[in-house]
Amino acid sequence: MTDFSAQYRIEFAKTASLLLQQRGSKLRNHVMVGSHKGEGASPVDQYGVTEARERTGRAVPKESANTPVDRRWAYPRFFDWSDIVDNIDLLQTASDPQNPLVQACTASLGRRIDDEIIRAFFADARTGKQGGTTTSFPAGQQITAGGVGLTFEKLRAAKKILMANEVDLANDPIICVVNSVQHDALLGEIEITSADYNGGDRPVLKEGIITRFLGIEFVHCERLTLSGANRRVPIYAKSGMHLGIWSDVATDIGPRRDLEGNPMEVTGSVTIGATRTEEKKVVEVLCTES
């Protein structure tokens, strides 16, 4: 019998796809964004609360309101990505891997944008004329876990805090970032699933995903951090968070002439820095996860 094993061949895939991952930023469009230069940038000057005085007589002397003024700062962080496509790789693959690598690069850098925004939700912020003062996230803006996940009552409590802080709910979008566990916890709330509770303010669902409820817009992201065993869910006014962009996402493909064969290198970078603009516009909701 003739042995045909010498004629066997290996067939490589002619298509490429990225493994499951968050592709790009989900939060960038849900915060204030500005372009900056320099070692640091001040996205907002903060003017405090003053009260008008009642005039009690004729021709009385004026008194200055002495409006308190502060300044919030953001500082750049530099993120890079690179991978090499050697000529050896190109000779042994049926599809060009450069385009999928560019997609992987931009997806990774976009996730870094979300990580920076998520970090800034509850991290110490820098204030003062030159950013020399540290402003911590206040405990009064936190809703404790209470041994449960995200609930209807926690949403109400967060909205109550924002309203009490005079957040302009009519003109300043309110956003809640949830992961899959906390979204599923909300779907188990009778106030959301039962028409008897919803009245005219029914949750807006798109193919089973909650997109809006109680005037709050929901954004799904699996990158939320933990505080101990509890998930840190932010509910915030859009104007309460700022993303500074020193250099936007950029990619490049070029030869590495310092390596044998001058292989092609895919590179990418982004330079960003995020901060809260005002503590009273951000609420931290701690949620258990089982």
Side-chain angles (χ1 to χ4, degrees):
M1 182 174 64
T2 303
D3 183 3
F4 285 98
S5 61
Q7 305 299 319
Y8 292 174
R9 66 190 180 99
I10 299 175
E11 182 174 351
F12 297 95
K14 294 182 176 61
T15 60
S17 64
L18 297 182
L19 294 179
L20 290 175
Q21 58 189 276
Q22 179 182 312
R23 301 193 182 191
S25 172
K26 293 189 174 184
L27 304 183
R28 176 172 177 162
N29 292 334
H30 299 283
V31 299
M32 306 301 289
V33 180
S35 298
H36 304 300
K37 294 182 179 180
E39 295 181 359
S42 176
V44 62
D45 286 336
Q46 302 170 321
Y47 287 79
V49 178
T50 59
E51 297 294 339
R53 295 180 298 277
E54 180 183 3
R55 189 190 305 172
T56 58
R58 298 178 63 251
V60 296
K62 293 181 179 180
E63 294 182 26
S64 174
N66 293 318
T67 304
V69 180
D70 213 337
R71 180 169 290 165
R72 185 55 51 94
W73 290 83
Y75 296 91
R77 301 180 69 195
F78 306 85
F79 299 99
D80 300 291
W81 189 100
S82 66
D83 205 349
I84 291 177
V85 182
D86 199 284
N87 294 332
I88 295 174
D89 302 323
L90 294 176
L91 291 172
Q92 298 184 86
T93 56
S95 61
D96 188 343
Q98 293 180 74
N99 184 57
L101 287 179
V102 170
Q103 295 180 46
C105 174
T106 56
S108 174
L109 295 173
R111 292 193 296 271
R112 278 299 195 176
I113 291 175
D114 282 3
D115 290 343
E116 173 61 7
I117 294 171
I118 290 169
R119 180 202 64 81
F121 277 127
F122 313 119
D124 289 344
R126 300 285 289 278
T127 56
K129 185 176 181 179
Q130 299 294 334
T133 302
T134 297
T135 303
S136 299
F137 190 77
Q141 294 293 114
Q142 183 186 82
I143 297 171
T144 59
V148 295
L150 189 57
T151 63
F152 173 73
E153 291 301 326
K154 287 184 178 181
L155 294 180
R156 286 184 56 188
K159 189 169 183 178
K160 179 181 178 181
I161 291 174
L162 295 175
M163 292 180 68
N165 291 343
E166 304 284 1
V167 173
D168 186 1
L169 301 184
N171 298 296
D172 203 350
I174 305 301
I175 297 119
C176 176
V177 185
V178 292
N179 66 358
S180 57
V181 175
Q182 301 311 326
H183 179 271
D184 187 66
L186 276 182
L187 288 178
E189 294 286 288
I190 191 171
E191 291 86 353
I192 290 180
T193 58
S194 174
D196 295 335
Y197 286 85
N198 292 326
D201 189 21
R202 298 186 179 185
V204 179
L205 282 81
K206 185 177 181 179
E207 297 182 348
I209 303 297
I210 303 171
T211 60
R212 189 172 180 84
F213 185 50
L214 289 178
I216 301 171
E217 183 178 354
F218 289 83
V219 180
H220 168 237
C221 181
E222 291 295 321
R223 305 183 73 80
L224 294 177
T225 58
L226 290 167
S227 176
N230 298 316
R231 189 67 61 183
R232 310 179 82 176
V233 174
I235 300 180
Y236 64 99
K238 182 177 181 178
S239 67
M241 294 299 300
H242 178 85
L243 172 66
I245 299 178
W246 275 255
S247 177
D248 213 336
V249 173
T251 60
D252 183 63
I253 302 176
R256 280 288 301 271
R257 302 193 185 280
D258 60 320
L259 299 176
E260 290 290 344
N262 299 329
M264 301 301 289
E265 182 178 34
V266 179
T267 62
S269 64
V270 67
T271 304
I272 52 173
T275 185
R276 293 185 306 275
T277 62
E278 190 173 347
E279 280 63 48
K280 289 186 176 183
K281 292 183 177 182
V282 181
V283 176
E284 177 184 16
V285 182
L286 295 175
C287 300
T288 60
E289 291 195 348
S290 55

